[in-house]
């Protein structure tokens, strides 16, 4: 608009990649240390998760990534020794991800040790939130096939509130974020037995 800029499509994955990019990169690099060579993992469709996949491709060998993100698959297609398994489902144009009942069916065919996800917000008395119902359902379906749920997010998300509940505290194992997270949130995560890693 004249005199100022507006984000044309806030949900577009390309726009989300640009927000807090440097912070997301550092968090992704730290999170990649949790992945071993030869491991099979699940990674959902968020911007931080795409950067995580890129870091894994750069630093690990023979990792298989099971994902619902066509964007992620395309983003790292020429990077490193990575195998990608793309889960089927209904294609969401702006997020470039798969959602819906078909995704649930395909995700149930796998079992992995770790699922890596992003979040859109946080409610201290409830848990971690998402901004979109179909994506929330897709992530929950993927979580049924994983032993651990690991969240990677920049600390700004703890000051926002998503529309739908993604996971309660008891359903999350680890959180990787930056040092700007408040002491109040740190203590709340620790109280709920969530392992907290500060990337930088």
């Amino acid at each position: 608009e004249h005199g100022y800029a507006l984000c044309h499509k806030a949900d577009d994955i390309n726009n989300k990649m640009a927000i807090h990019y440097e912070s997301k990169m550092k968090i992704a690099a730290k999170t990649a240390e949790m992945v071993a060579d030869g491991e099979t993992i699940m990674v959902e469709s968020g911007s931080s998760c795409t950067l995580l996949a890129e870091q894994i491709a750069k630093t690990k060998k023979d990792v298989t990534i099971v994902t619902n993100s066509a964007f992620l698959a395309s983003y790292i297609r020429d990077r490193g020794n990575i195998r990608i398994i793309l889960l089927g489902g209904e294609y969401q144009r702006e997020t470039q991800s798969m959602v819906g009942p078909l995704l649930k069916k395909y995700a149930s065919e796998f079992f992995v040790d770790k699922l890596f996800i992003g979040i859109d917000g946080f409610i201290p008395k409830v848990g971690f939130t998402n901004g979109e119902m179909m994506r929330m359902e897709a992530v929950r379906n993927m979580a049924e096939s994983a032993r651990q749920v690991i969240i990677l997010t920049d600390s700004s998300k703890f000051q926002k509130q998503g529309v739908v509940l993604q996971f309660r505290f008891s359903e999350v194992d680890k959180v990787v974020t930056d040092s700007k997270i408040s002491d109040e949130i740190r203590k709340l995560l620790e109280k709920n037995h969530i392992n907290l890693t500060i990337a930088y």
Side-chain angles (χ1 to χ4, degrees):
E1 302 289 346
H2 182 71
Y4 60 94
L6 289 174
C7 184
H8 181 55
K9 293 181 179 179
D11 290 334
D12 187 282
I13 185 66
N14 290 288
N15 292 334
K16 287 191 171 185
M17 286 280 285
I19 300 171
H20 301 294
Y21 179 80
E22 292 298 328
S23 178
K24 289 177 180 179
M25 280 292 293
K26 292 175 182 177
I27 291 166
K30 186 66 177 179
T31 307
E33 296 175 6
M34 299 179 179
V35 179
D37 289 344
E39 189 172 5
T40 297
I41 60 172
M42 280 189 172
V43 182
E44 69 105 359
S45 61
S47 57
S48 293
C49 291
T50 299
L51 295 174
L52 168 64
E54 181 184 32
Q55 288 297 311
I56 291 170
K58 288 179 178 178
T59 61
K60 306 295 178 178
K61 296 180 181 179
D62 302 318
V63 172
T64 298
I65 296 176
V66 181
T67 184
N68 67 325
S69 174
F71 180 83
L72 182 156
S74 176
Y75 193 79
I76 66 167
R77 68 186 183 277
D78 297 324
R79 294 174 169 89
N81 185 16
I82 296 292
R83 181 182 181 212
I84 302 169
I85 298 175
L86 188 58
L87 299 171
E90 179 184 345
Y91 180 69
Q92 279 192 329
R93 292 181 182 177
E94 293 196 354
T95 63
Q96 298 183 47
S97 63
M98 311 302 176
V99 297
L102 279 177
L103 180 131
K104 181 176 183 178
K105 177 182 178 181
Y106 294 126
S108 68
E109 298 295 322
F110 296 89
F111 187 78
V112 299
D113 188 54
K114 303 178 185 82
L115 165 66
F116 295 93
I117 72 164
I119 58 170
D120 292 328
F122 180 77
I123 302 175
K125 292 184 179 180
V126 182
F128 305 91
T129 62
N130 198 305
E132 204 270 326
M133 178 66 75
M134 293 294 285
R135 181 182 164 212
M136 178 275 290
E137 289 182 351
V139 174
R140 290 199 66 85
N141 291 335
M142 294 169 72
E144 292 176 6
S145 296
R147 190 174 69 85
Q148 297 181 72
V149 173
I150 301 170
I151 291 172
L152 59 154
T153 182
D154 64 272
S155 60
S156 70
K157 296 292 179 66
F158 289 100
Q159 309 304 319
K160 299 177 182 178
Q161 181 172 314
V163 179
V164 292
L165 177 65
Q166 181 70 77
F167 290 113
R168 297 189 182 278
F169 294 110
S170 60
E171 298 172 305
V172 173
D173 298 280
K174 299 178 181 179
V175 170
V176 186
T177 189
D178 59 74
S179 59
K180 293 180 182 178
I181 186 173
S182 70
D183 288 339
E184 181 182 0
I185 300 299
R186 285 187 194 223
K187 291 176 183 177
L188 184 57
L189 296 179
E190 291 170 359
K191 179 181 177 182
N192 284 278
H193 310 291
I194 295 173
N195 182 284
L196 178 63
T197 298
I198 302 300
Y200 70 96

